[in-house]
Amino acid sequence: MIKFIRSFRGYVRIRVDGPAPQRFMNLCSVHDILLWDIVVDGYVYEMNLFVKDFFRLRPIVKKTKMKVVLIEKKGLPFHVQKWKKRKVFICGSFFCCIGLYALSFFLWDIQLVQEGNLTQEMLLSFLQDQDVTYGCYKKEIDIDHIEKALRDEYPFIIWTSCRLEGTRLFVEVKENDKTVEETDAEQAPCNLYATVDGTIVSIITRSGIPKVKAGDVVKKGDVLVVGEVPVYNDDETIKEYMYVQSDADIRLETEISYEDKRSLTYQKKVYTGQEKTSYYWRIHKNSFSTARLPDYEEYDIVTDLKQAKILEDFYLPVYYGKISYREYRYEDLIYTEKEAKALLMYEFEKFCKTLQQKGVQIVEKNVKIEKNGRTLRAGGNIVVEMSDGEPELIRRMKQTGEIQSE
Amino acid sequence: MRKTKLFDDAKNHISDALKLPKDLAKGEALIGLTGREEVFIENYKGILECTSEVVMVATGRCRVRIVGKNLKVSYYTNDEMKIEGFLQQILFL
């Protein structure tokens, strides 16, 4: 800080030579002239002092009969003198600063903090409809409006937060894992029917009349719980029907067939090591590239793109990067029987895990791996216990009790 | 001469009784050391000798002679000064 103040005020380094250097220094201190970095070399003294103080030295020099030589000029006042000769440079720097300042009024980057169902592409397309795009004026962006519109547009978003940092717009959303069901559908009267063939393991009915009991064998499409509840007269004749939304926990045991094949021969992508690189620039919407497509038969294109920025948050509409073309070719390889079996087992375990994640309980696995020529086949049945009972809306209701459902 | 001595004694007694700082009451120099690389001096009268081996400063009651190697006066004002270098001796003459 002291150095900065000294540089700002401007100072000089002088060499003092003569009969009474100590007297010279003492007189300087008496006249409030600050001296620093005093170095002695034999009878010669070198020291720094401010420019203003330098012009106050004359009477002291006369009194002490010293010889003072100016060695060096340092600090801002001297630089200003130099810059007077470099008007174009100064103008350029000035306009550069003005340009950067002007660019800071616009939006140059949009970031979705965490991707889920809402992807970056969806967000950009949505924001474009809201007239929020790269290069738009920051003050015209209505954050509250965007947040509300985002929630209205995508019902699975339950919370949004948009914030502007520098020239970037950050969008943070929280999504609901469970989709919200229509309340009308929830209250509509319905039956529950079986979606698969199987045997009922247990049934707990909360509303409606159960048509099956534990141990019953049902087929796909059979009604399990009826939403039509009869209301009886005193003489046990049906007075009317009350329609309710059927609700029950039904566990059903069923068989799922599983089949997977894997050929022993396969093709593997092998990079040859041949690679060509070209450079790419993009200024707002205009792009430039040194790219020339290579004469490889098959190749991957890998693009590494970066956005220019100043400090942490000041992103500029300038993109740069390199494009690599990597040649590859396919090689025919053969799995050993052990490798192929391991892969089939891995796929099967993955399938089982997916079932378990859906709440399906596996009771028995009857899957065998057989070799058939150059192919390995995993096939069989899995006995599982799962929740069932798909709602089926009761469309037309007759007082007589005949129900037509869809 | 006797009057001056009497006056000095009285001044010393009063300043001791009031517990006044000695640098204010008696014009003593304040010397602060940072290891053997830096020395701050306040309340001095002036520099008597200044080379890269010896810096001698006149204070109110005595002279302070600082002996060392590569001595350099970092700054020198009317109130305080700072000497940097490799300090070997500080003598009160």
Side-chain angles (χ1 to χ4, degrees):
Chain A
M1 190 65 192
I2 291 170
K3 268 190 178 180
F4 175 76
I5 293 167
R6 284 172 181 169
S7 296
F8 186 76
R9 286 182 63 182
Y11 62 94
V12 290
R13 186 153 187 87
I14 55 168
R15 184 179 290 144
V16 183
D17 191 5
Q22 290 86 11
R23 193 172 172 226
F24 173 83
M25 286 177 354
N26 289 334
L27 280 171
C28 282
S29 77
V30 167
H31 285 88
D32 281 332
I33 294 173
L34 172 66
L35 305 173
W36 71 92
D37 284 347
I38 303 165
V39 177
V40 187
D41 183 17
Y43 296 103
V44 179
Y45 289 66
E46 283 183 12
M47 59 198 79
N48 291 340
L49 70 160
F50 286 118
V51 181
K52 274 187 180 175
D53 293 337
F54 178 74
F55 296 108
R56 291 167 60 206
L57 282 180
R58 190 175 290 272
I60 300 169
V61 172
K62 268 191 179 177
K63 199 180 271 182
T64 53
K65 292 175 184 170
M66 298 291 288
K67 192 181 162 191
V68 175
V69 182
L70 185 69
I71 304 172
E72 217 175 343
K73 299 171 184 173
K74 283 180 182 172
L76 190 69
F78 300 108
H79 287 300
V80 171
Q81 291 293 327
K82 274 187 200 169
W83 291 342
K84 276 185 182 171
K85 292 172 191 168
R86 297 179 182 178
K87 282 173 188 163
V88 177
F89 173 73
I90 298 294
C91 285
S93 306
F94 178 72
F95 284 118
C96 180
C97 292
I98 294 281
L100 286 175
Y101 182 66
L103 284 174
S104 71
F105 286 112
F106 300 94
L107 181 75
W108 298 118
D109 190 32
I110 297 169
Q111 287 284 326
L112 179 61
V113 175
Q114 197 177 8
E115 274 197 21
N117 289 331
L118 181 74
T119 60
Q120 180 84 13
E121 287 73 26
M122 281 163 76
L123 177 72
L124 291 180
S125 150
F126 166 78
L127 289 176
Q128 202 158 16
D129 294 342
Q130 302 289 326
D131 294 329
V132 177
T133 51
Y134 293 117
C136 74
Y137 191 48
K138 271 193 326 189
K139 282 196 176 169
E140 282 178 2
I141 299 172
D142 186 351
I143 295 284
D144 294 338
H145 174 71
I146 293 172
E147 286 177 349
K148 192 174 178 304
L150 202 59
R151 283 196 300 270
D152 293 344
E153 179 77 18
Y154 302 103
F156 57 85
I157 294 173
I158 51 169
W159 177 82
T160 54
S161 165
C162 300
R163 63 180 195 277
L164 277 165
E165 276 184 20
T167 56
R168 306 172 85 185
L169 174 68
F170 285 94
V171 179
E172 208 171 334
V173 296
K174 275 200 177 140
E175 294 171 2
N176 195 359
D177 296 337
K178 291 173 187 171
T179 49
V180 181
E181 289 172 13
E182 293 290 326
T183 48
D184 291 347
E186 270 179 14
Q187 289 164 357
C190 66
N191 297 333
L192 294 181
Y193 73 94
T195 55
V196 288
D197 298 348
T199 312
I200 302 291
V201 176
S202 68
I203 177 164
I204 301 162
T205 313
R206 277 187 286 274
S207 66
I209 299 171
K211 288 286 178 188
V212 291
K213 58 181 187 300
D216 284 1
V217 177
V218 292
K219 284 191 174 175
K220 186 181 175 182
D222 283 356
V223 176
L224 305 175
V225 180
V226 178
E228 185 192 40
V229 182
V231 180
Y232 293 98
N233 287 316
D234 292 340
D235 58 352
E236 293 191 352
T237 54
I238 295 168
K239 183 188 173 190
E240 59 175 348
Y241 286 97
M242 199 171 72
Y243 293 92
V244 296
Q245 188 195 28
S246 302
D247 187 14
D249 288 338
I250 304 160
R251 298 291 293 176
L252 188 140
E253 195 174 285
T254 186
E255 275 188 2
I256 299 174
S257 64
Y258 176 81
E259 193 175 332
D260 192 13
K261 279 181 188 172
R262 189 162 287 273
S263 175
L264 289 177
T265 55
Y266 70 102
Q267 284 194 319
K268 194 183 174 187
K269 201 179 188 181
V270 178
Y271 288 97
T272 59
Q274 293 287 326
E275 189 175 326
K276 277 188 181 176
T277 307
S278 61
Y279 295 93
Y280 176 88
W281 300 272
R282 182 150 67 89
I283 299 169
H284 199 30
K285 284 172 184 170
N286 305 313
S287 57
F288 315 94
S289 171
T290 59
R292 258 180 43 211
L293 288 177
D295 49 358
Y296 304 144
E297 271 186 31
E298 286 166 312
Y299 54 87
D300 277 343
I301 302 173
V302 181
T303 308
D304 178 20
L305 200 63
K306 286 175 184 165
Q307 189 173 5
K309 64 171 180 176
I310 298 171
L311 301 174
E312 190 59 36
D313 290 322
F314 190 177
Y315 278 74
L316 298 170
V318 179
Y319 301 82
Y320 61 94
K322 62 178 183 179
I323 304 169
S324 305
Y325 302 91
R326 294 179 190 165
E327 191 191 22
Y328 66 83
R329 62 170 185 270
Y330 283 110
E331 275 187 10
D332 291 327
L333 296 171
I334 298 170
Y335 283 125
T336 62
E337 209 171 310
K338 203 176 168 184
E339 283 174 341
K341 265 187 185 175
L343 282 169
L344 283 171
M345 283 303 292
Y346 174 73
E347 290 295 329
F348 178 64
E349 290 298 328
K350 217 162 86 176
F351 178 73
C352 290
K353 255 187 191 172
T354 317
L355 285 178
Q356 280 167 341
Q357 278 169 359
K358 286 178 186 169
V360 176
Q361 197 180 334
I362 294 165
V363 179
E364 203 178 321
K365 297 174 189 171
N366 299 317
V367 176
K368 285 179 183 170
I369 297 173
E370 292 166 353
K371 193 178 175 187
N372 187 8
R374 296 180 72 82
T375 312
L376 274 186
R377 177 184 168 276
N381 293 323
I382 310 166
V383 181
V384 297
E385 191 186 306
M386 58 190 270
S387 296
D388 201 21
E390 189 68 21
E392 178 191 42
L393 289 177
I394 303 168
R395 278 290 177 88
R396 279 189 290 171
M397 294 164 283
K398 291 180 182 175
Q399 289 298 315
T400 53
E402 190 187 325
I403 303 162
Q404 285 192 0
S405 59
E406 189 178 292
Chain B
M1 186 70 189
R2 203 177 156 215
K3 269 185 187 175
T4 315
K5 198 173 179 282
L6 275 171
F7 179 70
D8 281 348
D9 287 345
K11 203 167 82 174
N12 286 343
H13 281 300
I14 292 165
S15 66
D16 288 344
L18 293 173
K19 291 184 180 171
L20 288 173
K22 288 197 171 45
D23 57 316
L24 290 174
K26 297 178 187 173
E28 297 279 20
L30 284 173
I31 300 173
L33 282 166
T34 310
R36 57 188 305 174
E37 287 165 2
E38 279 181 0
V39 55
F40 293 88
I41 308 174
E42 284 178 62
N43 230 6
Y44 56 83
K45 296 247 165 100
I47 289 182
L48 298 174
E49 188 183 351
C50 183
T51 65
S52 58
E53 281 85 32
V54 178
V55 177
M56 189 144 79
V57 182
T59 69
R61 312 247 311 210
C62 63
R63 291 171 179 183
V64 180
R65 185 183 163 90
I66 296 154
V67 182
K69 282 178 187 170
N70 299 322
L71 296 181
K72 182 182 118 181
V73 181
S74 283
Y75 58 85
Y76 180 65
T77 68
N78 205 12
D79 305 316
E80 61 174 340
M81 69 186 290
K82 181 177 154 189
I83 300 162
E84 286 178 343
F86 184 74
L87 305 177
Q88 288 174 323
Q89 290 177 335
I90 298 177
L91 304 168
F92 296 88
L93 306 170

